[in-house]
Amino acid sequence: MGATDAAVGGGAELSAYSVPVDGAGVRAISPTDVSQFIRLDQCRRYLRLRLHERVAGRDFLRDEGVAPQAISPLLSRAGAGFEAEVVAAVAARHRALDFAAGKDPAARGDDNAEVAAAARDLPAGDSLVLVQPRLVVDLAGWRIRGDADLVHLARDAGGDLRALIVDAKSSTAAKVEHRLQVAFYHELLAALLAEHDVPCTRIETGILYRPAPDPTISREDAATLARRATEGASARDRLGVPDALLEVVADADGYRGAVRDLVTGETSVARRAAEAPFEEIPFHLTYKCDGCLYTEFCMKRAAERDDLSLLPFLREPDKAALHRL
C-alpha cells in the first residue's frame, strides 16, 4: 500500500500507515494536530495519517507519488505578523521571557525545567510572561508537545500562583478548535507544575484575536457590543495589547473533558484512530479537504479504488450507510 517499512521502538514494523508506540510506550501528538482534526470536521483519516507521519515522516507520501498540500504563505505571514505585534506589546508592558528568540524551531528541545523554575521562583506580588515556551509531557500513553504563545504567571501578595495561557490567532473570532488547543496547554502546564511540586491555585485559558475590521453593529447587537468591549478591556488590562480582543474561556473544564474524549481517555478518538486497521477508518472527500495536508493522497487513492466519494453530491452519511449495507 506504499507505506514505509522501518523498525522503531521495540522492533515494530511500520506498515499500513501504522502508529506504533515508541520505546517508552507512548505515541506522539500535538495540540495543533487535534485542532486541525476539529477544523477538518473531525476527519479520522487525517488524524491517522498525521499520527503516522509523526512516526515515519512524509516518505509515505512520496512513495504514493503525491505531495503534501502546502499552506498558503499569506496565511502564515499574517499569523506570524500578528504574533510579533502581540509579543512586542506584551514585552512593553510586562517582564517577559522569550523561549523562542534566536532558536531554530526544528532543533529546540523542551522548556519544561525552565518553565517550572520560573513559576517556582516568582516572588510574591510579581508577574512574568513566558513567550513561546515548549512543553513536552507524557499523559496517558501520549507524548504531547505544544508551544504556548503566552503564559502569564502571577503570584499574589499571599504567595498563591495563578496562570493565564493565551493563544494568539490572526482571525476575527475565537473558535472551538482554538479553545480546545489551549485546553491541551492547560493539561500540559498543570501536569508539569504538579510533577515539579509547584502549587498553582488557578489556571485560565484565553484566545487573543483581531477585532473585525470596521464592524457594523446595530442596536440589536447590544450583547455583541458589550462582549467586544469586555474582551478589548481584557486584552489591554491583562496583557497590554491594544487593538485586540481577549476571550477568557468560560467552560474550561468542558474543553479539558474534550481533551480526554479526543486523546487521553482509554477509548479516545485518537487511540481508536491509531489502532484501527487503516482501511476501516472512514473518510469522505468534501470541500474541507482543500485545507488538508493529505488531499492529494486521498484523491489518488479514491480514484484508484473507485471510492464512493467520487459520486457527485453524495453526502458523508449516505456513504456510511452504503458501506454498512
Side-chain angles (χ1 to χ4, degrees), residues 21 25-28 138-143 264 271:
V21 298
V26 297
R27 297 182 174 99
D138 290 355
L139 293 175
W142 295 92
R143 177 158 295 138
T264 58
R271 197 177 304 278

Side-chain angles (χ1 to χ4, degrees), residues 29 43 61 71 96 122 125 149 162 177 180 194 201 203 211 255 294 299:
I29 197 170
C43 176
L61 294 174
I71 298 175
L122 188 66
D149 287 337
R162 302 185 310 278
E177 59 264 33
L180 181 62
T201 303
I203 298 177
Y255 282 97
Y294 310 115
M299 291 182 68

Side-chain angles (χ1 to χ4, degrees), residues 110-193:
D110 68 72
D111 300 312
N112 291 2
E114 292 86 348
V115 169
R120 180 189 302 110
D121 299 340
L122 188 66
D126 199 1
S127 66
L128 173 68
V129 176
L130 310 181
V131 179
Q132 288 285 320
R134 175 163 292 177
L135 309 178
V136 183
V137 179
D138 290 355
L139 293 175
W142 295 92
R143 177 158 295 138
I144 306 176
R145 189 190 82 174
D147 295 352
D149 287 337
L150 302 170
V151 178
H152 182 222
L153 301 174
R155 196 178 292 280
D156 63 22
D160 288 338
L161 178 69
R162 302 185 310 278
L164 170 64
I165 305 170
V166 175
D167 211 33
K169 296 295 184 184
S170 182
S171 66
T172 57
K175 302 177 181 178
V176 170
E177 59 264 33
H178 301 160
R179 301 181 190 109
L180 181 62
Q181 189 168 339
V182 290
F184 272 93
Y185 299 146
H186 186 161
E187 295 289 283
L188 296 180
L189 182 62
L192 175 64
L193 294 179

Side-chain angles (χ1 to χ4, degrees), residues 26-158:
V26 297
R27 297 182 174 99
I29 197 170
S30 79
T32 52
D33 296 339
V34 184
S35 177
Q36 182 75 342
F37 164 73
I38 297 297
R39 196 184 69 79
L40 293 172
D41 292 345
Q42 301 189 42
C43 176
R44 279 181 276 173
R45 173 176 275 193
Y46 162 81
L47 187 57
R48 171 60 170 267
L49 292 175
R50 186 62 177 151
L51 294 173
H52 175 72
E53 181 183 329
R54 288 198 171 278
V55 177
R58 292 186 176 175
D59 284 350
F60 74 97
L61 294 174
R62 183 194 62 197
D63 294 343
E64 288 282 356
V66 298
Q69 179 80 10
I71 298 175
S72 168
L74 291 176
L75 294 177
S76 299
R77 284 199 291 268
F82 181 58
E83 289 182 8
E85 294 171 10
V86 167
V87 169
V90 169
R93 170 78 173 272
H94 299 275
R95 186 165 62 94
L97 180 59
D98 193 339
F99 287 91
K103 297 179 182 177
D104 179 2
R108 282 179 62 191
D110 68 72
D111 300 312
N112 291 2
E114 292 86 348
V115 169
R120 180 189 302 110
D121 299 340
L122 188 66
D126 199 1
S127 66
L128 173 68
V129 176
L130 310 181
V131 179
Q132 288 285 320
R134 175 163 292 177
L135 309 178
V136 183
V137 179
D138 290 355
L139 293 175
W142 295 92
R143 177 158 295 138
I144 306 176
R145 189 190 82 174
D147 295 352
D149 287 337
L150 302 170
V151 178
H152 182 222
L153 301 174
R155 196 178 292 280
D156 63 22

